[in-house]
């Protein structure tokens, strides 16, 4: 979940750059949907995190990859896409339907689907602009491993309410940690809000 939130935040941050800075101009709606998805994840809380302290786990979010600034343009879009796709997959299971309020869950799924559709269009544009897919594989594999760890954790904890709460918090934390990516992108590409 943290991975998904990180991806959402990274998408939000990337879209703050000037149009076309990554070969594609994500719409303002894309940013708004990402913010709404974060709010929905916050509203999905069912348990006090203090109740679940014994269930905490370090999922080894590839934070340096998101915050380190080493991603090329196509890599950034690929990683963001992978984060959204994995988050969508995580919340689009029968187990997640049993764990969360169905109205909020459906709104989150819809928002993630909207973002994925828009990102698919952008991904097609930047894929032709960057070199090989080999350069994207490392970061994408890191994201896949991160989400695999989340899936294994949920299985080991038998999809308990506390396990889902820890995963929800993890995704929110990951997105929060992506704020430095936003600042770096704004500095690299120039702040659109500056006079």
């Amino acid at each position: 979940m943290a991975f998904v939130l990180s991806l959402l935040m990274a998408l939000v941050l990337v879209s703050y750059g000037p149009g076309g800075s990554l070969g594609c101009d994500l719409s303002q709606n894309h940013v708004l949907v990402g913010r709404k998805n974060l709010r929905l994840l916050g509203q999905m809380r069912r348990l006090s995190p203090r109740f679940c302290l014994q269930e905490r786990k370090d999922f080894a979010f590839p934070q340096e990859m998101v915050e380190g600034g080493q991603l090329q343009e196509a890599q950034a879009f690929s990683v963001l896409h992978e984060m959204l796709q994995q988050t969508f997959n995580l919340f689009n299971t029968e187990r997640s339907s049993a764990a969360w309020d169905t109205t909020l869950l459906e709104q989150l799924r819809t928002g993630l689907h909207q973002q994925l559709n828009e990102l698919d269009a952008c991904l097609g544009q930047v894929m032709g602009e960057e070199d090989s897919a080999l350069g994207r594989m490392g970061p994408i594999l890191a994201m896949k491993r991160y989400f695999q760890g989340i899936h294994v954790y949920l299985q080991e904890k038998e999809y308990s309410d506390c396990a889902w709460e820890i995963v929800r918090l993890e995704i929110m934390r990951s997105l929060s940690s992506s704020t430095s990516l936003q600042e770096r992108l704004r500095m690299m590409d120039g702040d659109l809000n500056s006079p």
Side-chain angles (χ1 to χ4, degrees):
M1 290 185 164
F3 180 76
V4 172
L5 289 178
S6 296
L7 176 60
L8 291 173
M9 183 57 91
L11 285 173
V12 168
L13 298 176
V14 166
S15 63
Y16 276 121
S21 64
L22 291 178
C24 181
D25 187 14
L26 293 175
S27 71
Q28 181 62 26
N29 185 57
H30 187 83
V31 174
L32 296 175
V33 171
R35 290 179 186 160
K36 181 180 179 189
N37 288 341
L38 286 173
R39 279 194 305 276
L40 287 167
L41 280 165
Q43 292 170 0
M44 288 169 65
R45 176 181 156 183
R46 291 181 33 195
L47 298 171
S48 169
R50 281 180 265 173
F51 181 72
C52 301
L53 287 176
Q54 73 282 1
E55 303 293 328
R56 285 183 301 176
K57 176 177 173 67
D58 179 6
F59 293 100
F61 174 68
Q63 192 164 348
E64 287 181 17
M65 185 174 64
V66 174
E67 292 184 357
Q70 70 260 28
L71 293 180
Q72 300 298 318
E73 293 173 349
Q75 287 176 320
F77 267 100
S78 296
V79 166
L80 293 173
H81 187 274
E82 186 65 28
M83 287 175 73
L84 285 175
Q85 186 64 59
Q86 291 285 342
T87 301
F88 179 82
N89 293 347
L90 185 65
F91 285 106
N92 198 33
T93 64
E94 193 174 314
R95 298 277 190 170
S96 70
S97 295
W100 303 109
D101 174 275
T102 54
T103 302
L104 293 174
L105 184 60
E106 191 54 41
Q107 289 175 7
L108 178 65
R109 289 174 182 163
T110 299
L112 290 168
H113 186 70
Q114 283 178 300
Q115 287 191 297
L116 280 167
N117 283 341
E118 186 168 343
L119 196 55
D120 279 340
C122 287
L123 199 55
Q125 290 178 31
V126 297
M127 288 302 212
E129 296 172 11
E130 292 290 327
D131 292 335
S132 72
L134 292 176
R136 292 187 295 276
M137 289 312 294
I140 289 173
L141 287 175
M143 284 300 176
K144 286 180 186 271
R145 280 192 300 270
Y146 171 74
F147 274 99
Q148 182 60 33
I150 290 173
H151 285 286
V152 167
Y153 169 81
L154 286 168
Q155 287 173 343
E156 288 173 352
K157 298 296 182 177
E158 299 178 351
Y159 300 91
S160 70
D161 288 344
C162 268
W164 276 111
E165 178 61 17
I166 294 299
V167 168
R168 184 190 68 82
L169 287 170
E170 171 68 16
I171 289 177
M172 293 190 77
R173 232 185 328 271
S174 305
L175 282 177
S176 297
S177 73
S178 299
T179 56
S180 67
L181 174 61
Q182 176 183 2
E183 292 306 312
R184 191 170 48 258
L185 289 171
R186 290 172 77 179
M187 282 192 259
M188 284 188 333
D189 294 330
D191 189 344
L192 287 179
N193 298 321
S194 61

